[in-house]
Amino acid sequence: MLQVDLEQMKFTLAESKFGINEFLFDLNGIIGLPEEGIALDLTFGTEQTDFKNILSLVPGIYTESFSSINTTGTLSFGGFVKGLYGEDTYPAFDVNLEVKDGMFQYPDLPLPVKDINLSFQAKNESSQIENTSVTLPIFSMNVGSNPLSGDFKLANLRDYDLEGKLNGRLNLKELTAVFPIEKTQLAGILDFNASAKGRYDSTLKVLPSMDIRLNLENGFIQNTDYPVPLERLHAKATILNQKGTMQDFLMDISSFGFDLEGEKNRRKPENQ
C-alpha cells in the first residue's frame, strides 16, 4: 500500500511486499523528497523462514527445475535504512541474513549440499559510506562429503582493514553427484587453505598479510564434446605475504602437470 502526501512530498509504504525469484520481503516506512536529497526511513524483512526461498537468488540454481529441488533449513532476514541520501551523504543502514542447517539436493542426483550455516551483516551507523562494515562470522557447508568453512570481517571501506579465512577439501568426482554438470567427468582431490589479515591500500602499496595454499592431486577432466581427457592433472601453489608489502609478495607454483593423449606435460616455474 502506498500513501502519498504531495504537500509534504512524503510517500508512505505500508504492508508492501516485493519479490526476487522465490524470495519475498516486506518494505515499510517513509520516503521523503526534501529540497535536497532523498530522506529515507525504511525497514525491511521477510516472514518466510524456508531456506529454499533464499536459495532461489543463487545464479545457476534458479532454473525451470527449481521447484523439484529438495531443501530443508531456515532463514531470517531483516534490517533498516534511515537518513538522507544525497551527493555526499548516505543513510545509515543495517542488513542481516542468517541461514541455519540448510540443505538442497537435486532429485536425480545422489548427494546433497548440507549443513549450510551462514551469518552475514552489513552495517553503517553514520552518513559516510566509508564507515560501512561487513561481517561473515559463520560460513560452513558440506558439499557431499566435502567440508567447506570460513569467516570474513571488513572493518570499513576507508583503509579496508580485513581478516578472513577459507578452508576446504573437494573430491571433484563428487561434484557431478551434487550438481547437474552435463557431459563432463571429473576426478581428483583439491585441498585449499587461505587466510588474510591486514589493510589494503593500492596507493601506499600495502597488502594484507596472507597465506594461501592449494594442492590438486590425481585430477581428471573429460567432456563429451572433446573426448580426449586431461589425466594425472596435478598442481601445487602457495601465495605468501608475511609483512603486508608488495615487495614481500611471493607466488610459488612448485608443480604443475597433466597427461594429454599419452603425452606428459610438466612445468616447474620459478618463484615470483
Side-chain angles (χ1 to χ4, degrees):
M1 180 186 300
L2 176 64
Q3 299 175 355
V4 179
D5 184 342
L6 293 178
E7 184 176 343
Q8 298 189 41
M9 292 303 292
K10 289 186 177 180
F11 305 85
T12 302
L13 295 168
E15 299 180 0
S16 300
K17 294 187 180 295
F18 297 84
I20 304 174
N21 297 341
E22 302 290 323
F23 182 63
L24 303 178
F25 61 94
D26 302 325
L27 182 63
N28 299 289
I30 298 172
I31 302 173
L33 299 177
E35 292 184 1
E36 293 185 5
I38 302 173
L40 301 169
D41 188 358
L42 301 170
T43 60
F44 51 86
T46 181
E47 297 178 357
Q48 296 175 327
T49 59
D50 190 341
F51 168 67
K52 190 169 187 175
N53 300 118
I54 197 74
L55 185 66
S56 73
L57 300 182
V58 179
I61 290 184
Y62 190 67
T63 63
E64 294 179 354
S65 62
F66 180 76
S67 61
S68 65
I69 297 177
N70 301 313
T71 65
T72 59
T74 61
L75 76 91
S76 62
F77 171 76
F80 71 84
V81 179
K82 186 173 183 177
L84 185 68
Y85 174 75
E87 185 175 348
D88 299 314
T89 61
Y90 293 83
F93 61 85
D94 191 356
V95 182
N96 292 273
L97 171 66
E98 187 172 31
V99 172
K100 290 184 178 181
D101 301 322
M103 185 281 296
F104 69 90
Q105 182 174 7
Y106 287 89
D108 299 328
L109 296 176
L111 295 177
V113 177
K114 61 183 181 180
D115 303 322
I116 303 170
N117 290 283
L118 178 149
S119 180
F120 169 86
Q121 181 184 44
K123 185 177 182 180
N124 190 334
E125 297 177 331
S126 75
S127 61
Q128 302 300 314
I129 195 65
E130 293 86 358
N131 294 326
T132 298
S133 65
V134 177
T135 56
L136 184 70
I138 299 172
F139 173 75
S140 62
M141 67 179 69
N142 286 299
V143 182
S145 63
N146 305 281
L148 302 177
S149 65
D151 56 64
F152 179 75
K153 178 170 62 177
L154 177 66
N156 57 65
L157 301 181
R158 189 182 310 103
D159 55 15
Y160 296 94
D161 189 4
L162 60 87
E163 182 176 0
K165 64 179 182 289
L166 180 65
N167 302 306
R169 178 180 175 87
L170 288 175
N171 181 338
L172 300 183
K173 187 175 183 179
E174 283 193 8
L175 292 184
T176 57
V178 174
F179 299 102
I181 304 174
E182 298 181 355
K183 301 181 178 181
T184 302
Q185 295 182 53
L186 298 173
I189 301 297
L190 174 65
D191 288 291
F192 54 91
N193 297 277
S195 63
K197 183 177 181 179
R199 297 189 303 119
Y200 172 75
D201 191 318
S202 59
T203 303
L204 298 177
K205 297 183 178 180
V206 174
L207 292 171
S209 62
M210 62 184 73
D211 187 336
I212 302 171
R213 300 172 189 268
L214 180 147
N215 187 46
L216 172 64
E217 296 181 347
N218 301 315
F220 178 93
I221 304 173
Q222 184 175 27
N223 186 281
T224 55
D225 293 334
Y226 185 74
V228 178
L230 285 177
E231 300 178 280
R232 298 180 183 177
L233 179 62
H234 65 273
K236 189 172 185 178
T238 303
I239 298 175
L240 293 174
N241 190 334
Q242 297 179 342
K243 297 180 181 179
T245 64
M246 294 287 189
Q247 293 81 2
D248 193 50
F249 184 86
L250 170 69
M251 178 184 291
D252 177 20
I253 304 175
S254 58
S255 70
F256 175 78
F258 58 88
D259 291 359
L260 179 64
E261 294 185 323
E263 243 182 77
K264 298 186 181 209
N265 296 270
R266 302 289 184 266
R267 297 290 184 272
K268 190 174 182 180
E270 297 180 357
N271 293 356
Q272 300 180 12

